[in-house]
């Protein structure tokens, strides 16, 4: 269902993993990696979006590097330039929108861990984004101007996440609601960081399945 493709961003060539829906047509979704890189799990998630009828792509923000080591992942994360990554996310979205099989005029973004923070970044920097979902995003310090958020957004957290506290996410969602933004925070009791990743030790099936349903419902409504 998926394959590696290349697209242009800010004068350079980027790689990504593209998955098309079975009937060939669908709205665009950009999937943003965890700090491990564009690993098979993220490719699988991209294929899951395609199986739900979306034209989906995960850009390779580490440009070929992947790791299973938390120390190495931390190094790659620290070396990542958020502005450049944001441009590559936007370029991936524009690539999808330019495809003849794309049925949407805007694209969705969804990210996990580091990618969740970058989903927030992208949604506050690109008005071509029609909906966004941030799974426990907060590892990457990025420059956010929430006044520029125009798309509906879901913030997803695990109640037991010590790395990205759910209370902080709920407080952010409350602040944005007071600003008139269309946002929702969803907190899953008993869930830890990276609970959506079914290849990791913190996978929590019930929470992951519900978060997936919410994500698909938002994208189907908004894209």
């Amino acid at each position: 269902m998926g394959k590696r493709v290349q697209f242009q961003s800010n004068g350079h060539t980027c790689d990504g993993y593209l998955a098309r829906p079975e009937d060939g047509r669908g709205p665009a979704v950009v999937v943003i990696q965890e700090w491990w890189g564009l690993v098979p799990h993220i490719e699988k998630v991209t294929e899951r979006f395609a199986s739900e009828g979306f034209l989906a792509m995960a850009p390779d923000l580490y440009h070929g590097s992947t790791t299973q080591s938390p120390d190495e992942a931390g190094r790659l994360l620290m070396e990542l330039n958020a502005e450049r990554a944001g441009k590559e996310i936007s370029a991936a979205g524009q690539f999808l929108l330019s495809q003849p099989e794309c049925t949407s005029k805007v694209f969705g973004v969804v990210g996990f861990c580091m990618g969740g923070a970058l989903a927030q970044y992208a949604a506050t920097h690109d008005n071509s984004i029609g909906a966004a979902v941030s799974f426990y995003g907060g590892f990457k310090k990025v420059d956010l101007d929430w006044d520029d958020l125009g798309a509906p957004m879901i913030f997803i957290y695990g109640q037991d996440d010590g790395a990205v506290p759910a209370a902080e996410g709920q407080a952010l969602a409350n602040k944005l609601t007071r600003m008139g933004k269309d946002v929702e925070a969803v907190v899953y009791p008993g869930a830890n960081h990276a609970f959506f990743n079914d290849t990791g030790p913190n996978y929590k099936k019930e929470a992951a399945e519900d978060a997936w349903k919410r994500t698909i419902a938002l994208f189907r409504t908004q894209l």
Side-chain angles (χ1 to χ4, degrees):
M1 186 180 292
K3 66 176 183 178
R4 293 278 177 156
V5 297
Q6 293 186 325
F7 62 97
Q8 296 298 310
S9 173
N10 201 34
H12 63 275
T13 300
C14 302
D15 292 330
Y17 187 79
L18 175 69
R20 292 182 169 88
E22 187 173 348
D23 66 2
R25 293 173 56 79
V29 170
V30 175
V31 181
I32 312 174
Q33 68 195 48
E34 294 178 307
W35 69 343
W36 310 113
L38 183 47
V39 295
H41 167 66
I42 295 298
E43 293 181 348
K44 178 182 174 183
V45 172
T46 305
E47 291 177 352
R48 286 183 66 187
F49 277 106
S51 72
E52 296 282 356
F54 296 94
L55 180 66
M57 183 165 72
D60 183 0
L61 302 180
Y62 284 169
H63 300 265
S65 295
T66 62
T67 184
Q68 296 181 348
S69 163
D71 290 341
E72 178 69 6
R75 183 187 67 80
L76 290 168
L77 168 62
M78 292 301 295
E79 292 177 353
L80 182 72
N81 181 284
E83 182 179 357
R84 174 171 173 157
K87 290 179 179 178
E88 292 176 0
I89 292 165
S90 292
Q94 292 302 319
F95 174 87
L96 293 174
L97 294 178
S98 72
Q99 301 305 298
E101 61 266 43
C102 182
T103 61
S104 61
K105 296 182 179 180
V106 293
F107 64 95
V109 291
V110 55
F112 307 86
C113 177
M114 176 192 85
L118 289 172
Q120 297 175 27
Y121 179 92
T124 57
H125 284 76
D126 189 340
N127 59 15
S128 293
I129 292 174
V133 182
S134 172
F135 279 76
Y136 30 82
F139 275 2
K140 183 68 177 177
K141 300 298 183 183
V142 294
D143 181 22
L144 302 176
D145 186 347
W146 290 110
D147 286 330
D148 294 331
L149 177 66
M153 190 166 194
I154 301 176
F155 298 93
I156 293 175
Y157 300 94
Q159 184 67 60
D160 297 342
D161 189 341
V164 184
E168 294 181 7
Q170 185 65 68
L172 172 61
N174 293 342
K175 170 188 170 182
L176 295 178
T177 298
R178 291 193 297 269
M179 291 171 61
K181 305 300 182 180
D182 183 0
V183 300
E184 177 185 12
V186 182
V187 179
Y188 291 98
N192 209 322
H193 189 74
F195 71 81
F196 186 81
N197 188 335
D198 60 3
T199 69
N202 290 341
Y203 176 62
K204 190 171 181 63
K205 185 174 185 293
E206 298 82 0
E209 289 178 349
D210 185 77
W212 177 256
K213 291 177 182 177
R214 291 174 183 269
T215 300
I216 294 300
L218 179 70
F219 287 164
R220 285 185 175 154
T221 301
Q222 300 295 331
L223 303 180

